[in-house]
Amino acid sequence: WRLLMSQRKRIWGWFFYDWACQPFYTLMLTFFFAPYFATVAADYFIASGMETEVSKAKAQTMWSICLSASGLFIGISAPILGAIADTSGRRMPWIYVFSVMLILGAMGTWVGVPDGSNLTLMLYFFALGYIGTEFALIFTNAQLTTLGNQGEIGKISGSGFGFGYLGGVFSLAIALLFLVEQPNGKTFMLGIEPLFGFLDPEQMEGTRFVGPLAAIWFVIFAIPYFRNIKDDPALLNKINVGKGLRDLMQLLKGLRSRRSMSAYLVSSMFYRDAMNGLYSFGGVYAALVLDWTITQLGVFGIIAALGAALFSWLGGKADSLLGPKPVITFCIYVMIIVCITIVGMTPNSLFGIQLADGSTLPDTIFMICGVLIGGFGGAMQAASRTMMVRHTTIERATEAFGLYGLMGRATAFLAPTLIGIVTAITQSPRLGVSPLIGLFIIGLFVLIWVDADGETSS
């Protein structure tokens, strides 16, 4: 009984890390900071004399460069860090360091004043937090191997994502209730000045405070994780950099004889990159193409996050019953349809068909797309890490998830770079997201060679 309760505490502690870090993605990457940056940058460029569409395209390109550079750094570093960490059996010290990066980066985005005078500094702080968050998740994902057997992992992974998305919903609600200002300077839900008048709406301090909110949220809600998750004393050893690098090289060489793992890493590299592109540019698209306000994006975010929580949980159930591969496959098909819809839509037309002036159909369709992106994207991510568990062992999980992180980040610059290039060529933020369709299709095609049961040895 004590062992059962102890394991339950570990699982719930692990769930809380998703809950604690999700607001960084929800508030910063997708719904508030990213579109706020894009809007501020576009207005700054317009004020400097650029045409409106050119300014919007340059703002989206600038955001894409930030994500590309961050992703490239993460991709190169992740498998090396994972391999070195596995030689010592220590994951928690790394997670502490990267968590501090998350906190400092999120807090630092407060400097993003609305006149656009420090656009680059805003991006530096965001990149610091983003890199810290992504590195930490490599190590926490690796801990999934210790939380249950193969039949339980899918349910645990899906429930973790679902619980995390609920954290995103609550953080969005807090932002809309007390922080994010409308054009009239009042918050959307309560109609009060941001944080009861302590924040200046003219300086957009309510919207800017979402960064510090994500940091404070993490500090509070990561406590159950750090209290209940510890490194296994039986696996602890001195860090051996040389051995870690040799093990990594051996793993890379061994991929030639491991068809399923190789195919899975390549497949996930493309479809996860496309998925991250949707998360990273969804809010920017809504702000630049549909002219949504930050408040509209917040409401949209709550709806999408609720969908994500529900579908992640359902996806975990489906994963346990059917295995992760069918779940991933179905989710990719949904994402392809969503991308085609987004590219074919403007504020006044749908696939070339003109709509009546003032039609709300595009807004409604994009809201539905948001639910699908959040819901099936969450289910896809949960099933993806379950599939990775099926291709590794407890002893080498961090190394394997580091490699998983490498493949997920080796082309992490690809989606934002392609979006930036197409946006620059077409001068259209809407057409700029079209490369994601091709990335999803490639990922779906390569998935054919992945063994649904994974591998039993590393």
Side-chain angles (χ1 to χ4, degrees):
W1 172 253
R2 287 183 178 179
L3 286 175
L4 177 62
M5 290 303 295
S6 176
Q7 188 69 346
R8 279 182 175 274
K9 283 185 177 180
R10 294 185 71 248
I11 291 172
W12 274 101
W14 187 79
F15 284 173
F16 263 98
Y17 198 89
D18 271 346
W19 175 286
C21 70
Q22 182 61 38
F24 185 90
Y25 294 100
T26 307
L27 301 179
M28 306 289 291
L29 184 63
T30 305
F31 296 113
F32 290 131
F33 177 79
Y36 171 73
F37 171 83
T39 303
V40 168
D43 290 344
Y44 176 79
F45 296 134
I46 290 171
S48 68
M50 286 188 187
E51 294 181 3
T52 300
E53 287 304 311
V54 176
S55 297
K56 289 181 177 181
K58 184 170 182 179
Q60 180 160 297
T61 301
M62 194 173 181
W63 179 244
S64 74
I65 290 172
C66 171
L67 295 179
S68 300
S70 301
L72 189 61
F73 179 76
I74 294 165
I76 293 171
S77 307
I80 298 172
L81 289 175
I84 293 172
D86 274 344
T87 65
S88 68
R90 299 178 191 275
R91 293 168 184 158
M92 297 307 297
W94 300 88
I95 294 170
Y96 275 110
V97 170
F98 298 135
S99 296
V100 170
M101 290 174 61
L102 183 164
I103 294 166
L104 294 178
M107 290 289 291
T109 58
W110 167 259
V111 303
V113 290
D115 65 7
S117 59
N118 51 11
L119 291 174
T120 304
L121 186 60
M122 290 168 67
L123 290 182
Y124 280 138
F125 275 115
F126 173 81
L128 175 66
Y130 184 48
I131 290 168
T133 306
E134 289 290 308
F135 275 156
L137 285 176
I138 291 169
F139 290 82
T140 57
N141 282 342
Q143 292 167 334
L144 180 59
T145 58
T146 68
L147 299 178
N149 58 43
Q150 181 166 302
E152 298 168 331
I153 290 297
K155 182 179 177 181
I156 293 171
S157 181
S159 297
F161 261 107
F163 189 64
Y165 277 120
L166 281 179
V169 170
F170 281 104
S171 66
L172 278 166
I174 289 172
L176 288 173
L177 282 166
F178 304 109
L179 298 176
V180 177
E181 55 274 286
Q182 301 180 88
N184 65 4
K186 308 294 185 180
T187 63
F188 173 69
M189 289 187 175
L190 293 182
I192 61 173
E193 291 188 358
L195 205 59
F196 306 103
F198 286 98
L199 299 175
D200 183 359
E202 290 188 6
Q203 289 298 309
M204 299 293 288
E205 289 185 353
T207 299
R208 288 161 53 198
F209 197 77
V210 297
L213 172 60
I216 295 167
W217 182 281
F218 180 86
V219 170
I220 294 172
F221 290 110
I223 292 173
Y225 170 81
F226 288 112
R227 286 189 62 183
N228 292 296
I229 302 292
K230 308 293 181 184
D231 287 324
D232 186 347
L235 299 177
L236 298 185
N237 208 334
K238 288 185 178 179
I239 288 180
N240 189 327
V241 176
K243 183 179 184 303
L245 296 177
R246 287 194 299 272
D247 288 346
L248 176 60
M249 291 306 298
Q250 184 178 357
L251 177 62
L252 291 171
K253 290 178 181 178
L255 288 177
R256 289 179 296 183
S257 60
R258 299 176 64 182
R259 190 188 74 167
S260 180
M261 184 172 184
S262 299
Y264 176 60
L265 289 172
V266 173
S267 171
S268 69
M269 177 175 71
F270 285 102
Y271 74 70
R272 284 192 296 142
D273 191 30
M275 196 68 242
N276 288 332
L278 274 178
Y279 286 141
S280 305
F281 288 89
V284 173
Y285 172 95
L288 298 182
V289 177
L290 301 179
D291 293 322
W292 279 18
T293 64
I294 297 294
T295 304
Q296 283 177 292
L297 281 165
V299 176
F300 167 70
I302 288 179
I303 295 172
L306 282 171
L310 174 62
F311 280 96
S312 294
W313 179 73
L314 291 175
K317 295 283 190 181
D319 186 337
S320 292
L321 289 173
L322 306 173
K325 185 176 178 180
V327 176
I328 295 169
T329 302
F330 182 76
C331 291
I332 293 177
Y333 276 118
V334 174
M335 290 303 106
I336 291 173
I337 294 171
V338 166
C339 288
I340 292 173
T341 302
I342 289 174
V343 172
M345 184 173 64
T346 73
N348 48 29
S349 69
L350 182 64
F351 296 113
I353 301 172
Q354 287 298 122
L355 303 173
D357 290 341
S359 173
T360 60
L361 183 60
D363 292 336
T364 302
I365 290 175
F366 190 70
M367 191 73 73
I368 294 170
C369 287
V371 173
L372 296 176
I373 291 169
F376 288 94
M380 179 194 293
Q381 290 182 93
S384 293
R385 64 184 180 188
T386 304
M387 179 59 81
M388 192 63 227
V389 167
R390 294 192 176 195
H391 286 85
T392 188
T393 61
I394 292 176
E395 293 77 16
R396 301 187 67 176
T398 316
E399 176 187 68
F401 272 97
L403 189 58
Y404 179 69
L406 166 65
M407 300 305 283
R409 291 297 166 189
T411 57
F413 63 91
L414 187 58
T417 300
L418 289 173
I419 290 173
I421 291 172
V422 175
T423 301
I425 292 173
T426 63
Q427 295 296 294
S428 169
R430 175 179 63 86
L431 295 177
V433 300
S434 59
L436 300 182
I437 300 170
L439 295 178
F440 276 124
I441 291 173
I442 294 171
L444 183 64
F445 177 73
V446 179
L447 195 63
I448 294 171
W449 285 275
V450 177
D451 187 341
D453 294 324
E455 298 170 353
T456 56
S457 62
S458 298

